[in-house]
Amino acid sequence: MSYNLAGALGGINALTLIRPWDQSILVGPKRIENRKWAPPTRFLGQQIALHAGEKWDENAVRFMAKHGFVPPCSRDESPRQAIVGLVTIAHVWEKGTMHFSEDGHDYASPWAFGPYCWFLSSITPLRTPVPCKGALGLWRVPDDLAKMVLSQVA
């Protein structure tokens, strides 16, 4: 499968997550990213890179365990400050309005706590994390690093 992430957005954009939330998306059951803001509508249906940030959230580990997922990497083993995968922002909704699943059926998810719920699809972990500093919000991946990401999924 090949990816063309350089389309209308002019390159690859990324979203930084606090670890281990990235693991729960890439290899676990989490398909919803919760944010205080909705992405610009031009990002709907677009692939973005997932970036594992520097911080680690122990409360997230307990939440995940409560919902049947144990991150495969510990705090020390988990990639940090690196692009770790690609996802598509399939839908976005405000908590309490609608819920989507990949097959189009409505559902409620313990992973959706909003206020904005980003439903993610086409989840593709990278074989090798690409070291990269992150940023707040949706941010542009430098072109040289974007090439390293794309070479793993082309």
Side-chain angles (χ1 to χ4, degrees):
M1 177 183 299
S2 66
Y3 294 85
N4 178 9
L5 300 179
L9 299 177
I12 300 175
N13 290 279
L15 185 67
T16 299
L17 282 75
I18 296 173
R19 301 174 305 130
W21 290 112
D22 60 309
Q23 294 179 47
S24 66
I25 292 170
L26 293 174
V27 296
K30 185 175 188 258
R31 295 296 173 263
I32 297 163
E33 173 57 15
N34 299 283
R35 293 283 156 161
K36 293 181 180 178
W37 50 278
T41 56
R42 72 179 184 272
F43 285 96
L44 295 179
Q46 296 294 319
Q47 285 191 305
I48 61 168
L50 275 189
H51 178 267
E54 180 67 31
K55 294 181 182 177
W56 180 268
D57 183 352
E58 279 300 323
N59 289 328
V61 175
R62 287 188 283 282
F63 177 87
M64 291 173 199
K66 179 180 173 183
H67 295 285
F69 177 70
V70 176
C73 297
S74 69
R75 173 196 302 251
D76 295 333
E77 298 168 331
S78 172
R80 73 182 85 201
Q81 292 291 342
I83 295 171
V84 293
L86 299 170
V87 299
T88 297
I89 303 172
H91 307 285
V92 176
W93 70 91
E94 286 186 71
K95 177 72 174 148
T97 57
M98 358 171 71
H99 305 270
F100 291 99
S101 68
E102 205 158 339
D103 61 6
H105 293 93
D106 290 348
Y107 80 109
S109 169
W111 301 93
F113 34 90
Y116 289 92
C117 303
W118 301 19
F119 186 83
L120 306 175
S121 65
S122 303
I123 295 163
T124 307
L126 295 183
R127 292 182 302 277
T128 304
V130 175
C132 178
K133 288 208 174 226
L136 296 175
L138 286 162
W139 50 275
R140 172 85 186 261
V141 176
D143 290 341
D144 59 328
L145 299 176
K147 287 178 187 175
M148 294 172 70
V149 170
L150 290 174
S151 71
Q152 294 189 49
V153 296

